[in-house]
Structures are given as C-alpha cells and as structure tokens.
C-alpha cells in the first residue's frame, strides 16, 4: 500500500508540474505575440500637432493658452483618418471654448512609447518655442495645461521594479516647475479588459495594469497633478466600439470620449464659469420639460416659462 501511495503522489506531482509548465509556455507565447503587435504599432500613422486652434467666433480674448500632449497611443490619435478627430485637436478645440481664447497645442505622443521615452518628450515640450510663455499675456497655470498618458508599454514590455513611477513623478515636477503647466495624468488602462485576450495573459495583464494604475494615481496626487482613469472614460456603450479592432488602443469614438473626460477635468480644475443644465439627459424630466405650462387660473397669476429646463445658466 505504501508503494502504491508513493506512486500515486509522484504521478500527481508530475502532472501538476506538466500543467504548470504548459501554462507558462502559453503565457510566454501570448505575451510574445502581444509584444510584436505592440512594436508594429510604431509603424502606424498618427497625427503630429504644433498649431493654433481658434476659439468660437466672437469669443476670442486676443490672448492664447498652451496645451501639451505627452505619452503614448492613448493620446496620439493612432489610425485616425481625420486629424481634427485626434485627441490633441479635440482637446484644444474644447479648451478654446472653455477659455474663450486661442489654444496653441503641441503633441509629442507617439505609438508604442515606454516610460523611458518620457523624459525626451518632456524635453521637447519644455524647449518648444511654440508653447513658450512669452507668447501669452496670461501664462499662469490657468492658461497652461499638459496631459500625460503612459504605462501601457511598460506592462507589455516589462521593466524592472517601479522605474516608471519615478520617471512619471520627475516628468510632472519638471512640467510644473519649468513650464508652469497644470498637469493631468491619464493612468494606465485595465489591459485585462481588452477584447481578444485569453487566460493566462488576460489575468496577468489585469493584475499588473491595476497595480501600475494605482501607483500612477498616487504619484500624480503626491505631485499635485490630477489623475484620470482611462478605463472609466471608456464606458457608456459597448467596449468594442470604443477600441480599435486590435483592442490595443482607442477607436475614433474612444478618442473622443477620452478627450471629453480630459476637458471635464480641466473645467473642474479651473472652475470654469459655465454651468450646463443636464435635466434633459433624464428621459422623464426631458418629457416633462417639453410639456406646455398650465394655463394661468387668473389674470393676476404670473405666466410660467413653458420650457424652464432648456435654460442654460451662465455664472457672471
């Protein structure tokens, strides 16, 4: 009986080791294929920007604001056919509407960027004559904004320890100190939620990207920057329509949604003086708002506004 037990245990151990080795081999194969696709993304088309985006007609205050876009494919607008629909242009146009001024935008974001590339991108922004403070009469943090997205490449191409966090912290500090920028950080998305992935790679990417996103969030807060959730931005419809067919970066619709998230954060940070009535976003309230007001019972009763919910409040 003892020999049989030893034989059984040995067989079970050998099977477990075999399954474990098989899982490791599969993980390596999946990761290698993803890394190759990630590296190939560097050859895809993307939009470069160094231009001035005008505000709506009649709202220009004859000054300008500066907008720097830094990081990877989650901000550069990879595979977007119309440059006007890429995040740099979308954010700049929205910022011009918020501030009522011309926005000078420059993007150094590139596909397949790693954290080790971040210092060079920041150098390019800080040396840019196009974004110079001398081009604006109001060059305080209320007029200078930098958006950073980094981390996806660090997950797909693993690096040692937490090297990406010190690099991010240094980039934020330099942008604030040398460029007088108000900085926003789009933290690493949940890569485990990308379509087409299977275990064990799916689980590995989910855990690793969540850890990195949390570290980036804390680093941004510690450096007085504003962290934003990329994954939370890509919600409200099916995830598939918000990502490119490859699943590695946003679709045109996804870029638009990310841009709106950034603009909402900017408006909140600078306390933009425009309040938008959202009552029509709720169907039942919207229907009530469209119904005509009741007829006054007496001539002395004041007349009511038939569409009170359509009014948009503008703070003085």
């Amino acid at each position: 009986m003892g020999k049989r037990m030893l034989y059984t245990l040995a067989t079970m151990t050998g099977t477990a080791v075999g399954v474990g080795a098989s899982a490791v081999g599969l993980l390596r194969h999946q990761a290698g294929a993803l890394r190759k696709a990630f590296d190939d993304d560097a050859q895809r088309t993307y939009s470069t920007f160094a231009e001035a985006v005008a505000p709506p007609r009649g709202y220009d205050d004859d000054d300008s604001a500066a907008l720097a876009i830094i990081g990877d494919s989650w901000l550069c607008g990879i595979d977007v056919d119309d440059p006007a629909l890429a995040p740099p242009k979308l954010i700049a146009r929205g910022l011009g509407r918020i501030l009522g001024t011309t926005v000078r935008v420059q993007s150094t974001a590139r596909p397949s960027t790693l954290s080790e590339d971040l210092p060079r991108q920041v150098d390019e922004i800080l040396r840019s004559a196009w974004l110079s403070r001398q081009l604006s009469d109001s060059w305080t943090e209320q007029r200078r904004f930098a958006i950073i997205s980094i981390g996806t490449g660090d997950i797909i191409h693993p690096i040692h320890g937490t090297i990406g966090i010190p690099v991010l912290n240094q980039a934020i500090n330099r942008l604030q100190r040398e460029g007088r920028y108000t900085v926003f950080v789009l933290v690493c998305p949940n890569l485990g939620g990308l379509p087409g992935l299977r275990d064990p790679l799916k689980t590995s990417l989910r855990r690793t990207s969540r850890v990195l996103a949390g570290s980036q969030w804390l680093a941004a807060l510690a450096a007085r920057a504003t962290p934003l959730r990329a994954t939370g931005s890509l919600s409200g419809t099916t995830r598939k329509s918000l990502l490119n067919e490859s699943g590695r970066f946003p679709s045109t619709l996804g870029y638009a949604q990310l841009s709106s998230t950034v603009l909402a954060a900017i408006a909140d940070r600078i306390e933009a003086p425009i309040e938008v009535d959202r009552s029509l976003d709720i169907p039942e309230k919207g229907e009530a708002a469209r119904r005509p007001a009741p007829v006054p019972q007496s001539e002395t009763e004041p007349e009511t506004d038939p569409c009170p919910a359509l009014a948009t409040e503008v703070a003085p």
Side-chain angles (χ1 to χ4, degrees):
M1 181 64 70
K3 291 182 178 180
R4 289 182 180 178
M5 181 64 70
L6 290 175
Y7 177 78
T8 302
L9 290 174
T11 302
M12 293 175 60
T13 302
T15 302
V17 171
V19 172
S22 177
V24 171
L26 178 59
L27 178 60
R28 288 178 177 174
H29 173 74
Q30 291 176 324
L34 182 60
R35 278 194 292 270
K36 184 180 184 303
F38 177 82
D39 293 339
D40 290 343
D41 287 342
Q43 308 304 319
R44 292 176 178 265
T45 58
Y46 63 94
S47 301
T48 58
F49 290 87
E51 59 184 82
V53 177
R57 184 177 301 176
Y59 288 90
D60 197 346
D61 64 357
D62 297 324
D63 197 5
S64 63
L67 174 64
I69 306 294
I70 304 166
D72 54 22
S73 58
W74 287 75
L75 281 178
C76 71
I78 185 172
D79 275 2
V80 174
D81 296 330
D82 185 356
L85 300 178
K89 196 68 170 286
L90 289 174
I91 298 173
R93 191 161 62 240
L95 185 59
R97 290 178 177 272
I98 292 173
L99 296 177
T101 189
T102 299
V103 176
R104 293 174 284 115
V105 56
Q106 182 167 339
S107 175
T108 61
R110 303 288 186 269
S112 305
T113 295
L114 305 176
S115 284
E116 63 187 30
D117 302 315
L118 200 56
R120 289 191 292 272
Q121 291 192 14
V122 172
D123 286 341
E124 187 177 344
I125 290 297
L126 294 177
R127 290 196 302 261
S128 172
W130 183 245
L131 298 177
S132 171
R133 283 177 280 172
Q134 281 68 33
L135 297 180
S136 174
D137 294 333
S138 303
W139 53 263
T140 65
E141 289 82 349
Q142 296 289 327
R143 293 279 181 141
R144 300 180 63 77
F145 306 91
I147 320 298
I148 300 176
S149 171
I150 202 70
T152 300
D154 298 335
I155 298 297
I156 296 176
H157 279 283
I159 56 179
H160 298 291
T162 57
I163 187 173
I165 301 304
V167 170
L168 175 62
N169 188 70
Q170 183 184 46
I172 295 172
N173 288 335
R174 291 188 61 199
L175 289 166
Q176 292 173 334
R177 184 178 65 254
E178 301 175 38
R180 298 294 183 183
Y181 287 99
T182 296
V183 182
F184 297 81
V185 178
L186 199 64
V187 302
C188 180
N190 176 13
L191 300 181
L194 299 183
L197 293 181
R198 294 183 178 181
D199 283 329
L201 182 61
K202 182 181 181 71
T203 298
S204 176
L205 288 179
R206 181 177 67 249
R207 292 173 178 172
T208 309
S209 57
R210 283 180 174 177
V211 170
L212 179 58
S215 299
Q216 289 179 331
W217 188 278
L218 294 177
L221 291 177
R224 302 185 308 280
T226 301
L228 305 172
R229 288 187 175 90
T231 303
S233 300
L234 298 179
S235 60
T237 184
T238 59
R239 179 67 57 86
K240 186 175 180 180
S241 67
L242 295 172
L243 294 171
N244 182 272
E245 293 180 357
S246 68
R248 293 187 301 276
F249 47 85
S251 64
T252 300
L253 177 60
Y255 280 128
Q257 198 144 314
L258 284 173
S259 300
S260 67
T261 297
V262 172
L263 286 169
I266 291 176
D268 183 65
R269 178 69 179 264
I270 66 176
E271 298 181 353
I274 299 177
E275 298 178 8
V276 180
D277 183 2
R278 305 301 299 272
S279 62
L280 291 180
D281 291 352
I282 305 175
E284 53 269 24
K285 287 190 176 182
E287 291 299 323
R290 292 182 179 90
R291 296 178 189 139
V295 178
Q297 298 298 321
S298 64
E299 295 182 359
T300 58
E301 184 177 348
E303 185 177 353
T304 59
D305 185 355
C307 297
L310 296 179
T312 300
E313 299 180 5
V314 180

